[in-house]
Amino acid sequence: MSAILERITESNRVIRGYTDQKPDIAIILGTGLGKLAEDIKNSVVIPYEKIKNFPVSTVPGHGGNLVIGQLGEKSVIAMQGRFHYYEGYSMQEITFPLRVMKELGAKVIIISNAAGGMNRFFHRGDLMLIYDHINLMGDNPLIGPNEEKMGPRFPDMSQPYDKELILLTEKIALEDGIRLHKGIYAGLTGPMLETPAEYRMLIKIGADAVGMSTVPEVIAANHMGMRVLGISCITDLAIDGIVEKVHFQEILDAAARSEPIMTHLIKKVIQNIDI
Ligand code: HPA
């Protein structure tokens, strides 16, 4: 067995010691979805540090958990706490939990994030369905030896975000009166925000929103043939390239205000996904 498959098997052995539930849907609880974990019933909570081979958090008390249980009628596995490239993790480390969740049975991955909005129709606190992305991180999780059992050497990326899940989410948003944009997410490393010239460049190359996460996980998910749904919470604006000073607390406040709507939308999507 290859080293990566062995590492996944070792992690799964630990998780199987806690539960034999087989989750169908994985959720990365990024900004705007943090509280969704509270709605998972019959849940088993496994701290990352207990799971062999999982990335170890550098911040004490911020280790994160895998939460496995039921959301409505669906079996889910949620990552409470994610890893960012700017924290110093490698792309392979960031995407390792996703590979473990796939091996446990997950066929769909739902990802949320906070992003800066550049499209002139956006307002702070709006939600944006991601229908495509631009990887500007200068790295990706598939560099290195390829494990054919996980996915192909040269994976197709012609539909990185699942069309049916996009349609389902749009339908629910329309029914429930939720303002939902659709756009292209540019993924940069951060941790600094963008300069005015960088925002202008991102607008010119066709991005609607910009953030520091999601792209590695979506690449790994596509590699493994998982269906992806990605949603950004627009926490600040750089429209027409006009950049106002962003205070990180304002980003957190905007995300917190959107959280109930994002949570409602995603819960309803999960209930209605055909697995
Ligand atoms: N740029 C990058 N990442 C972000 C932003 C932004 O403007 N807002 C929230 N995350």
Side-chain angles (χ1 to χ4, degrees), residues 12 16 21-27 75-78 97-110 221 224-227 275:
N12 277 346
R16 285 283 164 250
Q21 294 185 61
K22 281 215 180 314
D24 290 312
I25 299 170
I27 315 164
S75 294
V76 300
I77 180 164
L98 190 65
R99 302 217 178 266
V100 169
M101 295 193 289
K102 166 72 167 45
E103 196 55 36
L104 287 169
K107 296 169 246 333
V108 170
I109 172 79
I110 298 176
M224 297 184 288
M226 296 175 83
R227 297 167 64 197
I275 287 288

Side-chain angles (χ1 to χ4, degrees), residues 114-117 192-194 199 210-212 233 235-236 246 251:
M192 68 292 158
L193 297 171
E194 289 67 38
Y199 280 116
V210 53
M212 309 172 190
C233 169
T235 53
D236 53 283
V246 182
I251 293 185

Side-chain angles (χ1 to χ4, degrees), residues 158-204:
S158 61
Q159 203 193 111
Y161 298 82
D162 188 84
K163 234 184 233 163
E164 279 172 31
L165 292 179
I166 288 174
L167 282 174
L168 173 64
T169 311
E170 286 182 312
K171 179 170 162 277
I172 292 168
L174 198 62
E175 281 167 6
D176 291 5
I178 296 170
R179 191 181 160 87
L180 180 67
H181 303 285
K182 193 158 64 169
I184 295 174
Y185 174 91
L188 278 68
T189 64
M192 68 292 158
L193 297 171
E194 289 67 38
T195 67
E198 287 166 343
Y199 280 116
R200 269 199 306 276
M201 174 197 75
L202 294 168
I203 293 167
K204 283 207 170 121

Side-chain angles (χ1 to χ4, degrees), residues 79-94:
M79 280 181 74
Q80 203 175 28
R82 78 181 333 165
F83 302 96
H84 297 90
Y85 195 61
Y86 61 72
E87 294 174 85
Y89 299 105
S90 70
M91 288 271 163
Q92 285 76 14
E93 285 173 313
I94 291 167

